[in-house]
Amino acid sequence: MKIMVVGGGGREHAIIKKIKQSPAVEEIYVLPGNAGMNKDAVCVNIGAKDLDGIVNFAKENKIDYAIVAPDDPLVLGAVDRLNEIGIPCFGPKANAAIIEGSKIFSKNLMKKYGIPTAGYEVFTEMEPALKYLDSSSYPTVIKADGLALGKGVVIAMNKEEAIDAVKSMMEDRMFGDSGSRVVIEEFLTGPEVSVLAFTDGKTVVPMISSMDHKRALDNDEGLNTGGMGTVAPNPYYTSDVAEQCMKDIFLPTINAMNSEGRTFKGCLYFGLMLTPKGPKVIEYNCRFGDPETQVVLPLLESDLLEIMMACTNGTLTTDMVKFSDKHACCVIMASGGYPKSYKSGFEITAEDGMTADIYFAGAKETDGKLVTAGGRVLGVTAVDKDLESAIAKAYENVKKVNFEGAHYRKDIGKRAMAASK
Ligand code: AMP
Ligand code: GLY
């Protein structure tokens, strides 16, 4: 089969490395991919948001199956467009991808169907939002309605910070139209868990749980990033919690989307907080998480392509999805300065035999050399029998990868270690 993967980061690289193991795969094209993936797929210089380009490429190259990985093309309707020309896809159609594309949609969905989440109010005008802040308790959480590269959430510690956040979203349009409407919600506390789940719209099969590390610096300090590292499984996510989440969150969400005429097929990402009052949904994503995928898929023992096609065809069953009982740790190596401004173009070198464990995100080729070309440059994943060994191995391998100014957190998995003791 000829497979097309839309997207270009570490998550896509992890998906590609996994589907390459499937005997059905003959050729993998990735749009746009990055030069770090050259050994695993054919990179095609078409952007992930260029729907016309994607559709034309798929038609001309007689693609048999497409995997649309990032949020933007899903929300824009890439799956709808590809289906129109007869190409089956992994990923939700636009009318279901809205579960990530609009926070107001997802909050209203949860309220309507009794799915546990933080209490909230929606504002479409700035004045009432500012007025509401007078009577809010703090900290409070301000969220832009639309997609904002994972940066549209502000935890305001006091009224002044909250006013700043609302104004920068609604008046200064820091996130463009994504901030024309905002959600102001209750601040929750508790450990966070990411659960990615396969679904064909009827059956939902959760993957192994994971823990992201969103802040730039050790001890969860510094700015929010796209994610600086992950471990799987997440020790807070016990089998009791998993059972409760299936009953109160996963199945009700799939059923709610069906009731709304918005059947969700693909990977649904549940960002959960285990609060003192039970698990609650912090956010939904309509896709695999990044860098969660870089620890979840290396632990998958089943054929990923077969599972994906079952999601598309409506034939998913629980026994198709098997995970190993090992542990995984991914450490992201970023450009110095990320998530603020940083320099690019530094040569990336890795000791021989290392590339099998590297997922490239921001890399390009210049004069035959692989050089940095983004904030998050790559992730190094290690799998081992227990969490401690996986973490140790990941950091050993990080030492074998070099580029000028490389920045990475030294404490990925530390909290998980403490929790598992
Ligand atoms: P999101 O972009 O929705 O994943 O939010 C980014 C981060 O903000 C989450 O991972 C949480 O750590 C935090 N967050 C979001 N909503 C809340 C909330 N209601 N209470 C506390 N923290 C939150
Ligand atoms: N790691 C969080 C996300 O993919 O949105």
Side-chain angles (χ1 to χ4, degrees), residues 139-155:
T140 197
V141 185
I142 324 264
K143 299 187 172 181
D145 175 45
L147 297 179
L149 294 168
K151 299 191 180 90
V153 175
V154 173
I155 314 270

Side-chain angles (χ1 to χ4, degrees), residues 331-334 348 358-362 375-380 401 403:
V331 178
I332 298 292
M333 298 180 75
I348 306 166
I358 302 181
Y359 299 111
F360 284 96
R376 290 191 295 173
V377 174
L378 57 90
V380 177
V401 181
F403 57 88

Side-chain angles (χ1 to χ4, degrees), residues 343-361:
K343 287 191 190 146
S344 288
F346 298 117
E347 186 178 1
I348 306 166
T349 57
E351 276 177 30
D352 284 355
M354 262 294 300
T355 47
D357 310 310
I358 302 181
Y359 299 111
F360 284 96

Side-chain angles (χ1 to χ4, degrees), residues 211-345:
M211 182 191 286
D212 195 3
H213 297 67
K214 284 190 203 250
R215 300 295 201 96
L217 306 176
D218 286 11
N219 301 314
D220 295 324
E221 285 169 13
L223 295 171
N224 250 322
T225 69
M228 293 300 291
T230 34
V231 293
N234 184 322
Y236 290 105
Y237 194 72
T238 61
S239 53
D240 283 352
V241 175
E243 206 174 301
Q244 198 181 353
C245 289
M246 181 55 100
K247 182 166 71 64
D248 296 340
I249 295 174
F250 305 159
L251 288 171
T253 301
I254 297 302
N255 294 337
M257 290 298 276
N258 284 331
S259 301
E260 296 292 310
R262 296 175 181 274
T263 296
F264 189 104
K265 291 184 178 194
C267 173
L268 185 51
Y269 169 124
F270 299 88
L272 306 171
M273 195 171 267
L274 308 182
T275 77
K277 290 185 185 156
K280 294 192 181 190
V281 178
I282 289 281
E283 64 161 349
Y284 291 116
N285 291 328
C286 64
R287 52 171 174 86
F288 283 95
D290 189 337
E292 284 89 343
T293 307
Q294 292 92 309
V295 285
V296 170
L297 291 186
L299 295 173
L300 179 67
E301 290 179 335
S302 323
D303 184 323
L304 177 61
L305 187 66
E306 245 175 59
I307 299 172
M308 287 180 153
M309 291 190 348
C311 290
T312 308
N313 299 333
T315 53
L316 181 68
T317 56
T318 305
D319 59 10
M320 294 176 82
V321 184
K322 292 253 179 332
F323 280 89
S324 93
D325 55 9
K326 291 185 176 167
H327 294 249
C329 172
C330 174
V331 178
I332 298 292
M333 298 180 75
S335 297
Y338 172 78
K340 290 206 204 146
S341 65
Y342 54 82
K343 287 191 190 146
S344 288

Side-chain angles (χ1 to χ4, degrees), residues 2 34 52 63 69 76 83 150 205 332 351-352 369 402:
K2 279 179 156 185
N34 72 69
D52 291 335
I63 294 297
L76 290 170
N83 285 351
V205 186
I332 298 292
E351 276 177 30
D352 284 355
K369 285 180 185 156
N402 285 297

